[in-house]
Each structure stands twice: as C-alpha cells, then as structure tokens.
Amino acid sequence: MSTLRGKLYIVATPLGHLDDMSFRAIKTLQSVDFIAAEDTRHSAKLLTHYQISTPMISLHDYNEQERHEKIITLIQSGHSVALISDAGTPLISDPGYRLVHAAKKLAIDAIPIPGPCAAIAALSVSGLPTDCFIFEGFLSAKSSARLAQLNVLKHETRTMIFYESPHRILACLDDMQTIFGQDREVVVARELTKFFETIYSDSVENILKKLRQNPSEQQGEFVVLVKGAVIEARVMDEETTRVLNCLLAELPIKQAVKLTAEISKKSKNLLYDLALILQKAPK
Ligand code: SAM
C-alpha cells in the first residue's frame, strides 16, 4: 500500500503536449495504489511515456454506480486512488463529479493535483476580460436547444467559455451570430498546445468567414469564448445610459425603459436590452 493512504487524487494531465505534465502529477500517479482512468488504453500511452506502472481501473468496465463503489471501497480500505481523464482536468466536461461527490459525503479527502484545462488555457490568451467569466461546457447538439441556451445568455455580461467539437463548430458559431449579433467579439482557440494550435480573435461574422474559407481549420478541438454583453451598453450614448441607470434605481424596468424612451427618443427594444445589461452589471 502506498504512503498516500485513503485519499482520492484528482490529477490533471496534458491537453496534447506531453511536457505539460507536472512533476507532482507524475509523482502522484507513480505513488498511488490505483489510477482510475476514463479510457485505460488512451491513458496507457501517457503512463508509458512517464514510466508509470501503477495498475489502472477502467471507468468503462462497470456501470457508474458499481465503479464508484469499487473505488470508494478501495479508498476506505486504506488504498489511494488517482482519477485522470483523457486530457486536461477531470470533472471539467469529463467524468468524476459523482465520484468526488460520493467521496466527500463519506468524509474521504479529494486532493487536487492541478494542471492543464482547455477553458483556462484559452481564457488566458483570449484578451477578453478575465476578472469574471462563466464556463458553459458543451452546448446542446440540437440547433433549437442551442439557440434557446444562447438566448438565456444574450445579456450575460461576463466572458463566456464554451467547448465545441469539430463537426458542430460552424453551426455553433452561426447560432452565436444569430443570438449575439454579427459584431460580437469571439475568440476561437483550436488545438491548444498541439501542432496546429490556432487562435482566432475577431467578430463572430469574420471568424465564421475565415473558418468557412479554411475547411482544414474546422478540424480539431475547440474552445469558443464570447465577450460579455456589457460592452454593447456603450453603443448607447452616455447620457441615455445615465438616465436609464438613474430611473432603474427607482422604478420597475418597464417604467424606467418607457420614460427613458420618451426622454431620449431611442428605441424601447434597445433600451430594454440595455436595461437588462445594466441590471446585471457590477455597480
Ligand atoms: N477536461 C478537459 C479540460 O480540462 O479542458 C475537457 C474535456 S472535454 C471532454 C473535451 C473538450 O475540451 C473538447 O471537445 C474541446 O472543446 C476542449 N479541448 C480539449 N482539449 C483541447 C485543446 N487542446 N484545444 C482546444 N480545446 C480543447
């Protein structure tokens, strides 16, 4: 039994570049009793590269409940288990949530061994605001559901981060254009840390054009980041925004919009959108 007794380690692994494996991740995977892997055949390559011979437990071999019970039983009997996914940080659009939830309920320590995560890597080079952001993971595969999800985010003021697959990247950007407008600033981070790494920063309309012109660049793994809606408030002149803000502080939104429209002669619809943004914006 290893020295790391009775604990569950959540270990991040590279997104594509093997050098991104941390020393602590290697040491932990070498020292634990078992490695629970999303796909053992996939992870075998990484473990071989780092001469890690720790036995693996496949997360695919049992049904979810059984495999969690097996891992929890191993930990409760004093063994240590590390959870890894195919790439990046486990639980981030990857399996592991239920296991960690179950472990915490049984007072088993879950120890993070942090490292690569596509969302954070993309955000760090996006040039978009990083003080406040939301991670939405994968949007629905169906356009109608995706449009509905995006519509909920129409007035979101924080930077939005999405994961997307190559066969839906164009459809997803198309839907973003429909909901957020063609001028909304978007960053598409493709194949991060890999040979074909590409980062596009432009309006959603221009990024769509570029990707359509280069079918080879529609291949690979994608993170899509969308600038928050707060910037759109600036299309309204400062005085109108100030009036609306003052009225919103005192009145219900509909009345504030109606009065501002009368004062400024601006479109009620635009003012309503702006009011929603202002209500969400940090004061
Ligand atoms: N757990 C992973 C993480 O920490 O980022 C994410 C796993 S999720 C199943 C896979 C998705 O993450 C891909 O479809 C893509 O959206 C994103 N992703 C993973 N690796 C990437 C990379 N090298 N470049 C861009 N996006 C990547």
Side-chain angles (χ1 to χ4, degrees), residues 15-16 38 85 87-94 116-119 138 162-166 189-194 221-223:
L15 296 168
E38 186 184 0
S85 61
T89 302
L91 281 84
I92 306 302
S93 294
D94 264 341
C117 173
F138 288 96
F162 304 88
Y163 282 166
E164 197 45 275
S165 67
R190 168 181 171 252
E191 292 287 88
L192 289 167
T193 76
K194 301 187 201 176
E221 300 195 275
F222 294 90
V223 182

Side-chain angles (χ1 to χ4, degrees), residues 17 21 31 59 64 80 82 138 151 163 188 192 201 218 264:
H17 199 306
M21 187 79 171
S31 315
L59 289 183
E64 203 172 355
S80 52
F138 288 96
N151 202 39
Y163 282 166
V188 172
L192 289 167
S201 306
Q218 298 163 21
S264 68

Side-chain angles (χ1 to χ4, degrees), residues 10 26 47-48 86 259-260 272:
I10 307 301
I26 297 170
L47 301 191
T48 306
D86 288 353
L259 281 175
T260 312
Y272 194 82

